[in-house]
Every structure is written in structure tokens, then in C-alpha cells.
Amino acid sequence: MTIDPDDARRLLERELERSEYDGAHVTWWDRASRAVLDWLGSLRADGLGSPAVAHTLLWTAVVVLVAVVVLVVVARGLPRRRARLADGQVGGVFDDDDLRPAGAIAEDARAALPRG
């Protein structure tokens, strides 16, 4: 059986109207991202696919990333270890001179929990 082009077109259009293909419609995100990419492509005469545009976008991303890191460091300070020891106490979790048995360490830990 041979189908002429008009019948084939009607069958294809009827198939594509089915609900399984609803996700294939263009969304607002598709339109917005396409507009941004078209605008970026218009900035250079040779278009978005050129190596110069890719190089420029890479350096722009690196500069933005460095700026974000600098802002975070300025706003929050450098990360540092903050010990929860009272003034004058010396020690840590894995001290060599702590000879208490494991049960005593667990008991002291439970007692220290409410004090923070």
C-alpha cells in the first residue's frame, strides 16, 4: 500500500497531537535561553560557535567564580577549625595522654553534650 504525501502528512499530524508528545512543546525557559544565546551570538561577527566566543565565555565564568569566592571569604572569613574547649583547657579528641577507658570517654561525652 502506497501513501501519498498529503495522507502521510495528515497521519503524522494526527500522531503528533497525541498526549504523549505534550512535553515536546517549547517552554518559556526554551525561549529565554534561546534569546540569550542568540544575543551572545550576535556580539561577534562569526557567531556563537566560534572559538573566540567560547574562550570569552570561559574567562567570564572563571572571573565570576573567583569573584564569588572572594565575596564569600570577605563576608564569612577564612574557614578555620573552631575548638569547643573552655579557656585554659588543652586537649583534643585523639590525645596520646588520655588513658581513660572507652566507657568513661562515652560517659564524659554524654555529660558534655548539654553544655555544648
Side-chain angles (χ1 to χ4, degrees), residues 5 15-16 22 32 37 43 45 48 53 56 62 64 80 85-86 98 104 109:
E15 173 67 24
L16 292 176
D22 283 343
L37 291 175
L43 296 178
L48 189 59
V53 171
T56 302
V62 168
V64 167
R80 62 182 66 90
L85 296 176
D98 191 359

Side-chain angles (χ1 to χ4, degrees), residues 22-33:
D22 283 343
H25 296 296
V26 177
T27 63
W28 67 271
W29 177 256
D30 296 331
R31 288 189 299 273
S33 61

Side-chain angles (χ1 to χ4, degrees), residues 3 16 30 49 54 60 66 100 113:
I3 299 176
L16 292 176
D30 296 331
T60 303
V66 168
R100 296 176 293 164
L113 184 62

Side-chain angles (χ1 to χ4, degrees), residues 69 72-82:
V69 169
V72 168
V73 168
V74 167
R76 304 197 81 200
L78 290 173
R80 62 182 66 90
R81 193 182 87 165
R82 293 178 178 90

Side-chain angles (χ1 to χ4, degrees), residues 19-63:
S19 64
E20 290 89 9
Y21 300 107
D22 283 343
H25 296 296
V26 177
T27 63
W28 67 271
W29 177 256
D30 296 331
R31 288 189 299 273
S33 61
R34 175 52 43 199
V36 168
L37 291 175
D38 289 343
W39 175 75
L40 286 173
S42 71
L43 296 178
R44 302 227 10 123
D46 46 358
L48 189 59
S50 72
V53 171
H55 189 71
T56 302
L57 289 176
L58 175 66
W59 276 109
T60 303
V62 168
V63 168

